[in-house]
Amino acid sequence: MRKARGAAARCNRMFANPMILFIQVMNSLSLAMNLFIIAAGLTLIFGVLRIVNFAHGAFYMVGAYIALSILRVTGDTNLGFLLGVLGAGALMGAMAFVVERGLLSRLYDKEHMLQLLFTFALVLVIKDLVKMIWGSGQYSIGAPPFLRGAVNLGISPYPKYALFLCVMGPIIAVAIWFFMERTRWGRILRAAREDRVMLNALGTDVKLVYSGVFVTGAALAAMGGALAAPRSAVDPGMDSLVIIDAFIIVIIGGLGSLLGSFVGALILGFLTVMGSIYLKEWVIVASYVMMVVILLVRPWGLFGKADEERH
Amino acid sequence: MTYRKAMKSCALALGTAVLATAAMAQDGPIKVGVILPMSGGGAYVGEGIYAGVDLAVKQVNEAGGVLGRPLQVLLRDEQLRPDVSTAAMRELITLEGVQHFIGPATSATSLANSQIAREEKVVNISPSAKTEALTAGDNLHDYIFQLAPTTDVDGVRTVEVLRGMGTESICFTGFDYAYTHDWFAAIRANMGDITEAGEFLVPMNATDFSATITQLLSSDCDTIVGTQYGGSFIAFVKQATPFGLFESKKVLWGSNTGDHAVAAALGAELPSGLWASAADVWYYEGEDSHAAYQEALAAYQGRKETDMWPITGYNAVKFLAAAIEAAGTTEPTAVAAALEGLTIQTPLGEITIDPETNRANSPEFYGRFEPQEGSDVARMTDLRLVR
Amino acid sequence: MTSRPQLIFLACLFLALLAVPFLGSRYLTELAVQVMIFSLLALSLNILVGHIGLVSFGHAAFFAIGGYATAFFLTRWQLPLAAAMPMAVLLAAAFALVIGVLCVRLKAIYFAMLTLAFSMLVWGIIIKWKPVTGGDDGFVGITLPGMLASPQSFYWFVLAVVGVSTALMWLLSKSTMGQIFVAIRENETRASFLGVNVRQMQLIGFVLAALFAAIAGSLMAMYLRGMYPQSAFWTQSGHIVISVLLGGVHSFVGPILGASLLYLLEVTIHQYTQYWPLVMGLILLLVVLVLPEGLIELFRKLYARLGRK
């Protein structure tokens, strides 16, 4: 029995067996897509509203819990899962609408820092409400029946659900891109991102636009939570685990840039997976080193815009 | 408005503080400070331990209390942060005059609170922390007591179980923190001719284990030993199962993953054949005392399938109550002295605190999860209570 | 808010703090110690936020470095306090110099992000460097200098250090440099046209802020008899930002109000309910919506009303 330890041995084994390398690449992709879905909403909210939404992880968490409850009603079926994901988005979106109309919109003209404080406070409230409604236990949602198990990718089986995420990520990315670039609403959103004053002057109901963006961002986060749930637990700590990654992606990708968060998610996904093989537990330091390096070279992120005097 | 509220709270605190320091109550309830994680990722542990504490306190008070006085629990949330847990302890000492503590639940917080216990000379019973460091070397002092089996003891027990499983080589995986390193070191120290095929650790807040799973799959070991706990264990299982990890390797898990709540959460997704340890198993039918305890706990929790953690809090209260009775006073130094070498009857038999190490010889369950007929939830078979 | 009322407030506060140990409550004494340390921390951040206009999300890094370094120098190297504390503070200032040079090139949100990144890097190193920092278990157990062993004497020490630091920061805010900071916050371009080396001034402000944060960290480590990795985590930085915003950034004493209120709320709420995050969150929401300028707004109104009498 060989004792095969050490990075050199791992490296050898890795490249000696390209299948393993391939699987790890697939792992990086599925993680990246999982993260992208969550980060997309965050970057959208910042792009148009200029708000750093610290409550994004809480929205993600609420989405997972809502899906949990829906699945309890529908049972463990494919339709149930679809309803769970959509329901998570819809319900979280509705709640976000209420929050935005009722509270957040009062703060748009105020200092950015107040909006920050608001989202911080929102996290506290949401977390405790979740605890009140669902308790502090851990729960689990399974993948929908047709996505369970694995497909055979040559030598190693690969989880169907992970593949599903690899596909869903780009689909959602394209969907958002299409919306932003090819529809009227998307054009309005992009205009709001550039110059909201002008937009208002042109007669567009900017308030509605803002609500729409916040709601969409929240819904995306919630759906991200529901979609991530089959690969994780639904428990009270899940928001704090995801918010850091979401922020890293959005920051290195460029706040407000969809392409940036896609690329950023890929970078973080690959770094986390490949990094954990060679750096093992030091990968955590590596992610922050990467963040620092990228920001030093391109402070506005890889695909962000250089100027920052817009309000 | 908020300013006024703050002022009122200040005045209230000031008034209470003055009264508290002016009159050190000799009669009235015996206050017990209970510091546990009640929010965030550790909440299920904290709530579980608290349930056991509360149950025991109710039983003790119904039987006439301790030295004729009822126990009164003062609960504080440690939030898994040492600065918060120490602040809570200090607050309870200075504001409420508490001299006996149960908790906190985890390594870092326990180590921090132990320092306060040493300085303030108050009794501190740790129900669930497994780190050896808590009662080792310079950290050992007269006022700290550790009830959970420490990682060096775990190491010995684990290797026994591994041999029983027919293990010849191990891969290690887990979170990069003290418990992992200590337990693995203890296993390595005892494993003899069992070989190691690799160690694959992940950072503490990792959520994706696919890279590690792939590495484990391609390693030469026949058994995987892991430490990811709670929600992360659930995540690991859900990510690993489709890869077929549990079909190609045997698996033994630490962190008291034999917790029924974990099995209930995972349901049919819990890999059959998973070996784990647990502080308590509700369906164990070995001792009458255990059956009586389970009946009471089931009534308290409102369900038959009770949690694993309550027994740790329960035993802690029993020890404290017995020690105060034995000492004949609540004075902490006397109570601490009484705790050393104390033996009590617990639901799982006799437990004694070793006067040299201040550690208790608490038993633990080891078993192998198998799916049950007619139920979604797996149960441990081949169950043995290890002392 | 103008100088005189704030100065009067500070003087009254100082007198009140002088009286605390004589109230005979150890709980109050230790509570006051915590409030003073957090107030100092908030004041230090406000050099950046309120005066210069740069919001840092990584301020906790210097708090942590100050604390860990103090713990290390006192316990591992057994240095006397008179050496350990200044060395720890200078170490933090050195880090601030390096990090600051890289960060002040950036504006607003990007500055915030880079400071966040750096502080998480510091956290990562603290967590991994177990031999020095104790890793995830934290640095447990400090050799406290004998003269600080009793709660009373520790209190006087903290009061002295925080008092002097506050006085220094007050003088700074009133000095020419302080005026320059404000000028930069108001209009960076105009300031540079007037001959101000903006980057240099921002860097100086950054280092000074870090310096006082490190002093707070040093005091905290001695109070806690240890230091913990959470003190460098981004949530701790967020906590400091919240206390500054809560109190009001555009005044000197605002951060003191914010930090005190935040800490007192945290301490008292959880005595009454397990759902303390909910109550905290609701209170914060209320303040944000009703008092957007921070608590200082309340005082301004009060003072204005008193002035009219």
Side-chain angles (χ1 to χ4, degrees):
Chain A
M1 226 30 98
R2 279 165 308 158
K3 220 185 188 182
R5 282 172 88 184
R10 275 197 297 278
C11 206
N12 285 340
R13 218 190 2 250
M14 182 88 120
F15 289 103
N17 192 346
M19 271 313 295
I20 299 182
L21 184 61
F22 174 67
I23 297 291
Q24 296 289 29
V25 167
M26 291 302 297
N27 287 334
S28 312
L29 281 173
S30 60
L31 173 62
M33 290 305 102
N34 196 349
L35 292 171
F36 164 71
I37 297 171
I38 303 159
L42 188 61
T43 211
L44 191 68
I45 292 179
F46 184 83
V48 178
L49 300 178
R50 308 319 254 174
I51 291 178
V52 178
N53 183 24
F54 282 105
H56 211 69
F59 295 160
Y60 163 88
M61 180 164 87
V62 168
Y65 273 98
I66 291 177
L68 176 76
S69 288
I70 291 178
L71 276 166
R72 276 184 186 160
V73 169
T74 67
D76 202 7
T77 62
N78 289 321
L79 183 64
F81 187 77
L82 179 66
L83 283 176
V85 174
L86 294 176
L91 283 169
M92 185 67 235
M95 290 190 274
F97 182 75
V98 170
V99 166
E100 195 268 345
R101 283 284 98 206
L103 302 170
L104 186 57
S105 49
R106 292 170 211 265
L107 301 176
Y108 286 150
D109 297 323
K110 306 269 170 63
E111 299 227 23
H112 283 315
M113 305 191 277
L114 272 179
Q115 294 153 7
L116 226 71
L117 198 52
F118 178 82
T119 56
F120 263 124
L122 208 55
V123 176
L124 292 172
V125 172
I126 291 178
K127 285 193 72 152
D128 245 6
L129 286 176
V130 166
K131 180 177 164 182
M132 274 184 195
I133 299 174
W134 282 281
S136 341
Q138 292 138 35
Y139 305 106
S140 171
I141 301 177
F146 82 108
L147 286 174
R148 283 195 197 142
V151 296
N152 206 325
L153 287 184
I155 290 189
S156 171
Y158 196 74
K160 280 189 196 164
Y161 196 76
L163 264 178
F164 169 68
L165 286 174
C166 287
V167 166
M168 272 312 285
I171 288 180
I172 291 181
V174 168
I176 300 179
W177 172 86
F178 186 84
F179 177 76
M180 294 292 274
E181 296 291 319
R182 294 272 185 270
T183 68
R184 190 169 152 264
W185 274 110
R187 240 178 316 145
I188 293 176
L189 277 182
R190 276 183 292 133
R193 206 163 57 182
E194 302 294 322
D195 194 339
R196 70 167 90 149
V197 176
M198 181 64 83
L199 197 64
N200 211 359
L202 288 173
T204 315
D205 188 353
V206 177
K207 277 194 243 150
L208 202 58
V209 172
Y210 277 17
S211 296
V213 169
F214 192 71
V215 165
T216 310
L220 274 170
M223 287 194 287
L227 285 170
R231 296 181 77 243
S232 66
V234 179
D235 73 346
M238 63 190 299
D239 66 316
S240 40
L241 292 176
V242 83
I243 190 80
I244 305 166
D245 284 342
F247 266 103
I248 294 179
I249 291 171
V250 162
I251 290 171
I252 65 177
L255 287 156
S257 161
L258 188 69
L259 178 60
S261 48
F262 193 82
V263 172
L266 282 170
I267 293 178
L268 187 63
F270 273 88
L271 181 67
T272 307
V273 170
M274 297 305 189
S276 71
I277 300 169
Y278 302 105
L279 304 170
K280 300 175 83 171
E281 63 277 11
W282 281 90
V283 67
I284 191 148
V285 176
S287 346
Y288 299 121
V289 170
M290 170 201 59
M291 195 166 145
V292 167
V293 166
I294 290 183
L295 284 180
L296 284 176
V297 172
R298 276 184 80 89
W300 43 89
L302 294 169
F303 293 91
K305 297 202 166 50
D307 73 85
E308 231 316 84
E309 284 307 315
R310 276 162 296 145
H311 250 260
Chain B
M1 201 205 309
T2 37
Y3 171 70
R4 244 183 259 134
K5 267 199 200 135
M7 283 307 286
K8 270 197 203 143
S9 310
C10 276
L12 195 63
L14 179 60
T16 320
V18 168
L19 285 172
T21 46
M24 292 293 280
Q26 289 306 314
D27 290 321
I30 300 176
K31 295 183 184 175
V32 180
V34 176
I35 302 177
L36 295 168
M38 303 303 286
S39 61
Y44 73 102
V45 173
E47 288 188 356
I49 300 177
Y50 176 71
V53 165
D54 200 26
L55 179 66
V57 164
K58 283 186 163 65
Q59 289 183 348
V60 164
N61 288 350
E62 265 156 35
V66 180
L67 300 181
R69 298 159 63 184
L71 293 175
Q72 180 193 12
V73 169
L74 291 152
L75 176 67
R76 294 289 181 268
D77 184 359
E78 58 150 282
Q79 299 176 46
L80 299 178
R81 295 177 52 141
D83 49 341
V84 173
S85 68
T86 49
M89 192 173 186
R90 283 226 178 114
E91 174 208 308
L92 287 172
I93 293 174
T94 56
L95 189 58
E96 302 281 347
V98 176
Q99 296 176 307
H100 309 93
F101 288 88
I102 293 177
T106 57
S107 285
T109 45
S110 305
L111 284 166
N113 279 29
S114 173
Q115 294 300 312
I116 309 282
R118 187 209 307 248
E119 230 181 86
E120 303 290 328
K121 299 197 184 357
V122 293
V123 172
N124 192 345
I125 300 179
S126 169
S128 59
K130 285 177 154 284
T131 177
E132 294 165 50
L134 187 61
T135 44
D138 283 332
N139 287 335
L140 179 62
H141 58 87
D142 291 334
Y143 299 90
I144 182 73
F145 299 92
Q146 190 169 15
L147 298 186
T150 45
T151 41
D152 50 333
V153 171
D154 276 352
V156 175
R157 292 173 174 174
T158 306
V159 172
E160 243 183 76
V161 173
L162 285 170
R163 288 197 204 286
M165 286 160 69
T167 298
E168 285 174 12
S169 72
I170 308 178
C171 290
F172 291 104
T173 182
F175 282 140
D176 177 27
Y177 74 132
Y179 168 76
T180 301
H181 295 292
D182 290 346
W183 186 43
F184 289 175
I187 294 176
R188 288 190 182 111
N190 287 287
M191 67 188 196
D193 52 358
I194 300 178
T195 57
E196 178 180 338
E199 184 186 77
F200 309 100
L201 300 185
V202 291
M204 274 296 285
N205 38 21
T207 52
D208 184 86
F209 305 103
S210 48
T212 316
I213 292 165
T214 305
Q215 287 179 283
L216 287 167
L217 270 171
S218 61
S219 295
D220 298 326
C221 50
D222 59 59
T223 305
I224 298 172
V225 174
T227 65
Q228 285 88 336
Y229 57 87
S232 304
F233 171 68
I234 292 176
F236 183 91
V237 164
K238 292 166 76 170
Q239 291 170 24
T241 304
F243 272 107
L245 183 72
F246 301 106
E247 270 125 53
S248 55
K249 313 270 185 206
K250 296 191 273 255
V251 182
L252 180 136
W253 219 261
S255 308
N256 273 343
T257 308
D259 188 356
H260 181 79
V262 169
L266 277 170
E269 292 183 277
L270 185 68
S272 84
L274 172 79
W275 279 89
S277 64
D280 191 17
V281 171
W282 69 269
Y283 42 85
Y284 172 68
E285 281 167 13
E287 327 232 344
D288 289 335
S289 48
H290 186 249
Y293 163 75
Q294 280 299 331
E295 213 186 296
L297 186 60
Y300 179 92
Q301 292 204 301
R303 53 187 145 93
K304 203 176 50 170
E305 307 84 356
T306 59
D307 292 336
M308 170 183 87
W309 293 105
I311 201 169
T312 58
Y314 187 87
N315 289 348
V317 170
K318 290 287 173 161
F319 263 113
L320 184 62
I324 296 176
E325 288 279 3
T329 167
T330 57
E331 203 280 306
T333 315
V335 175
L339 274 170
E340 288 177 13
L342 186 62
T343 301
I344 63 166
Q345 290 297 330
T346 72
L348 290 172
E350 260 186 21
I351 300 183
T352 308
I353 294 182
D354 183 333
E356 299 293 308
T357 62
N358 284 11
R359 292 176 186 174
N361 61 347
S362 302
E364 226 168 25
F365 287 96
Y366 276 84
R368 193 185 71 243
F369 275 107
E370 294 295 347
Q372 296 295 305
E373 288 275 330
S375 163
D376 263 345
V377 182
R379 286 198 195 178
M380 291 207 279
T381 55
D382 234 340
L383 197 60
R384 74 276 306 259
L385 185 57
V386 181
R387 298 194 185 276
Chain C
M1 201 166 173
T2 50
S3 290
R4 244 189 89 219
Q6 294 198 70
L7 210 46
I8 295 174
F9 175 80
L10 283 172
C12 291
L13 190 59
F14 187 72
L15 287 172
L17 286 171
L18 278 174
V20 166
F22 301 108
L23 293 173
S25 160
R26 197 181 141 193
Y27 174 69
L28 274 186
T29 309
E30 296 195 338
L31 190 71
V33 163
Q34 294 275 68
V35 168
M36 281 193 281
I37 295 177
F38 283 121
S39 297
L40 177 62
L41 190 54
L43 280 171
S44 74
L45 179 63
N46 209 28
I47 296 177
L48 278 173
V49 176
H51 299 142
I52 303 183
L54 287 171
V55 182
S56 164
F57 267 105
H59 208 57
F62 306 113
F63 176 69
I65 293 175
Y68 269 103
T70 306
F72 187 82
F73 293 145
L74 281 176
T75 318
R76 297 285 165 77
W77 287 1
Q78 293 283 308
L79 293 179
L81 184 64
M85 196 160 159
M87 275 171 68
V89 172
L90 284 173
L91 183 66
F95 270 96
L97 194 60
V98 172
I99 294 176
V101 159
L102 297 168
C103 289
V104 299
R105 304 179 308 154
L106 308 179
K107 290 190 186 157
I109 190 86
Y110 305 108
F111 171 82
M113 293 306 155
L114 191 54
T115 53
L116 174 68
F118 269 117
S119 78
M120 286 309 287
L121 190 54
V122 167
W123 174 83
I125 295 174
I126 288 176
I127 285 268
K128 287 303 295 175
W129 204 8
K130 206 171 159 104
V132 168
T133 64
D136 53 280
D137 276 343
F139 195 109
V140 185
I142 281 193
T143 314
L144 206 61
M147 62 169 195
L148 295 179
S150 82
Q152 258 73 27
S153 50
F154 189 72
Y155 181 89
W156 293 124
F157 178 68
V158 169
L159 181 58
V161 172
V162 171
V164 168
S165 305
T166 308
L168 285 173
M169 283 192 274
W170 172 267
L171 290 171
L172 173 68
S173 72
K174 297 297 157 213
S175 72
T176 320
M177 194 182 293
Q179 316 277 33
I180 296 179
F181 284 163
V182 176
I184 293 175
R185 185 191 80 213
E186 299 288 312
N187 193 325
E188 212 177 292
T189 330
R190 195 192 299 158
S192 72
F193 283 164
L194 290 171
V196 172
N197 186 339
V198 174
R199 294 290 163 259
Q200 196 181 67
M201 285 287 115
Q202 286 175 330
L203 180 60
I204 293 176
F206 192 86
V207 173
L208 286 174
L211 202 128
F212 287 108
I215 293 177
S218 181
L219 292 173
M220 185 57 94
M222 287 189 268
Y223 174 70
L224 292 176
R225 312 288 195 268
M227 201 66 186
Y228 307 102
Q230 289 88 349
S231 59
F233 206 60
W234 70 273
T235 45
Q236 177 77 59
S237 293
H239 202 258
I240 312 172
V241 172
I242 292 179
S243 44
V244 167
L245 294 177
L246 200 59
V249 302
H250 296 312
S251 69
F252 183 82
V253 302
I256 298 179
L257 297 173
S260 310
L261 179 68
L262 199 63
Y263 187 71
L264 290 171
L265 278 178
E266 279 173 359
V267 154
T268 45
I269 292 176
H270 73 227
Q271 283 176 24
Y272 298 112
T273 168
Q274 279 308 308
Y275 291 111
W276 59 267
L278 180 65
V279 178
M280 274 291 308
L282 288 173
I283 293 180
L284 280 177
L285 282 176
L286 193 69
V287 171
V288 164
L289 293 166
V290 169
L291 289 171
E293 292 295 312
L295 289 169
I296 197 76
E297 203 182 320
L298 254 178
F299 277 79
R300 277 203 187 108
K301 288 185 181 152
L302 261 172
Y303 191 75
R305 211 170 292 166
L306 282 172
R308 251 180 257 140
K309 276 196 185 152

